[in-house]
């Protein structure tokens, strides 16, 4: 698997969406995924790229910005784990 020098942000709530906007403003290609469509649209309007599924993640650095470990576990099981490899960097940020 060939990872791109890109950041993915999973969870676009109070912390996640501002992080996406800062990454995009800094010129860093950013992929996003969220459960609610409204937040995804805001991130895409800011310049991020939408992932239709977690398994589409091709970023080398992945930030999860989720309320607790249960949600982190859920996104890993729902496809993020399959997209990661030994060179991936996973940063778990709780809100």
């Amino acid at each position: 698997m060939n990872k791109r020098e890109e950041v993915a942000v999973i969870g676009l709530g109070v912390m996640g969406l501002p992080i996406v906007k800062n990454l995009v403003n800094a010129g860093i290609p950013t992929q996003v995924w969220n459960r609610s469509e409204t937040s995804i649209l805001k991130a895409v309007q800011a310049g991020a790229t939408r992932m239709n599924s977690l398994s589409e993640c091709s970023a080398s650095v992945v930030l999860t910005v989720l309320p607790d470990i249960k949600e982190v576990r859920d996104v890993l099981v729902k496809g993020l784990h399959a997209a990661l490899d030994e060179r991936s960097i996973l940063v778990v940020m709780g809100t």
Side-chain angles (χ1 to χ4, degrees), residues 21-84:
K21 289 178 179 179
N22 286 331
L23 290 167
V24 169
N25 287 338
I28 299 169
T30 306
Q31 299 177 337
V32 295
W33 184 90
N34 196 65
R35 289 180 291 194
S36 74
E37 184 71 18
T38 303
S39 295
I40 293 172
L41 293 176
K42 289 178 184 177
V44 170
Q45 287 173 345
T49 302
R50 173 193 191 122
M51 291 184 288
N52 291 312
S53 71
L54 293 161
S55 60
E56 289 180 10
C57 182
S58 61
S60 57
V61 177
V62 179
L63 308 177
T64 62
V65 191
L66 300 165
D68 59 41
I69 195 65
K70 180 190 177 305
E71 282 83 5
V72 173
R73 196 174 305 123
D74 286 348
V75 296
L76 286 166
V77 169
K78 290 179 181 175
L80 183 59
H81 183 263
L84 302 175

